Structures are given as structure tokens and as C-alpha cells.
Amino acid sequence: MSIVIKFFVAPDAEAAAAVAEGGPDGVFESLTFGNFAVEEALIEGEGIFTSRSFEEVLDDDVPKTVVDREDGEGPLVLAVVRHPSRCPVHCRRAPAR
């Protein structure tokens, strides 16, 4: 069985949860990948974006579960980088010119 993972950016957990059933296509830009350890990848990514170690991110209970079907069927939505203030200056949006 193949597992397909779609990564997308939403402004908040509520917006992410709203596209759980139908997927982010047409609402948010997304990237699709398959067959890798998604939680480890998200922890590593958050560590890179926030300049923290894997262990520090793990201690912060990341990623957070936004949507999880109890029966294991259906979508799982996880959230990372909830606090933009934790992002280093170099990854913040530049002011409009």
C-alpha cells in the first residue's frame, strides 16, 4: 500500500482542517510526496525553520494534530511552525516595495 502525503501551507489550523476531506487542491498550493516518515520530516523541517535541534522541537510536541480520523481511514492533518516569531529573521517575509 502506498501512502501519499500532500504538504500545504494554511494561515491557521482552522483553514487547514477545512480542506481535510477534499484536499488542498484549488485552495492552497501543495507538494505531493510518497513513502517516507512524515512526522520525522516535519520535525526536521520545523527545526530548520526555527533554528532548533530535533530534540528541542520534539520536546515542544511538534507536529500538532489538526485532523485525525479515529479509525485510521481518511486524512491526517498535522501543523508545524505555529509561531512565526520563532522563525529566524532570514525566513520572514520581506516588506513590500
Side-chain angles (χ1 to χ4, degrees):
M1 181 172 107
S2 178
I3 296 173
V4 175
I5 300 155
K6 275 195 180 180
F7 290 93
F8 64 95
V9 176
D12 54 41
E14 187 175 289
V19 299
E21 285 300 321
D25 297 338
V27 180
F28 301 112
E29 289 187 46
S30 64
L31 295 170
T32 303
F33 297 97
N35 298 325
F36 68 97
V38 67
E39 288 185 348
E40 286 183 31
L42 292 174
I43 292 167
E44 182 71 23
E46 174 131 337
I48 291 167
F49 286 126
T50 60
S51 297
R52 296 185 296 159
S53 72
F54 188 92
E55 291 76 20
E56 289 172 316
V57 174
L58 195 57
D59 288 345
D60 198 23
D61 198 25
V62 172
K64 299 284 186 197
T65 302
V66 175
V67 174
D68 187 7
R69 301 295 182 236
E70 297 294 324
D71 60 6
E73 296 292 321
L76 170 66
V77 178
L78 302 171
V80 294
V81 188
R82 297 165 315 284
H83 306 289
S85 62
R86 288 188 177 168
C87 265
V89 173
H90 66 272
C91 78
R92 292 193 184 143
R93 178 180 283 176
R97 295 180 188 223

